[in-house]
Amino acid sequence: EVEAAGVWMLAGVIARAERVLVHSRYGAEVVRLEAEGSGLTADVAVVPFAAPPSPDRAAERGRSRPPATPLVASFGLVDPVKRPHLLVEALPALRERHPGLRLALVGPVERGERSSLLRRARALGVGAALIITGAVDQEHYRRWIELADVAVQLRAFSQGEASLAVAETLAAGLPTVVTRVGWLAEMPGEAVSGVGLDPRPEELVEAIGRLLSDDDAWTAHRDAGLRWARRHRVERVAEALLAELVPGWRDATAAAR
């Protein structure tokens, strides 16, 4: 089955598609490798990933809580691929720097994973500082983004996908730490704070701690993230998509104006 469908199970799609559109150079390379391995050819193009609209006053977002009580949060499915255990391992050292710090994992989680994370946090003496929300509705999800001081969106590997959670945090003016892999590695360095694919807890502590302790760095990342989100507004991405799908669309549009 693997030989027939390919490592990423894309062979059937590639064989039937006139063009394959992806959101990153990494994703394009995945498609090309899959096509080559399956004896196919692929016409691949990269189009931007759309960011949600920036919430009202996102550009004025600031940390209103005292520095001693920051909230670090991770958004989306709580799964080993998102490295939540690594965040829990970093929690004691983060709380040494910021004694009131809390960590929130906001998103669906399996019962076994939840129990494992809570058990490890208790063993490290930080059980009371860990919040695992489970699945939340959109209103509460957005509220957690508003409450957070720093977002951390890690990945153990990439299949070429883009991250809606990262687009959401940047659009909300929330400084975000990410793993430098796949689409995330192609994000502007000023818009996200990157860590390596297999970071030590100390590396995470340093990246998060810098944003929490340095107001200039926090503000610079907020502003750069908002600029990225504005450049990737839905209407701009729709134009880029039309340009790829409809030959001559840009010329026709310009002539009509």
Side-chain angles (χ1 to χ4, degrees), residues 19-40:
R19 301 197 78 194
V20 180
L21 304 181
V22 295
H23 292 305
S24 66
R25 298 187 300 276
Y26 181 92
E29 187 61 20
V30 165
V31 173
R32 292 189 186 100
L33 287 171
E34 189 80 333
E36 181 180 335
S38 302
L40 302 168

Side-chain angles (χ1 to χ4, degrees), residues 52-53 55 61 75 106 136-148 168 172 174:
R61 175 194 179 95
F75 299 92
V106 183
V136 295
D137 60 28
Q138 279 299 306
E139 180 181 352
H140 286 91
Y141 183 88
R142 287 193 295 269
R143 182 59 178 153
W144 278 107
I145 289 180
E146 292 172 0
L147 289 171
E168 289 171 328
L174 177 58

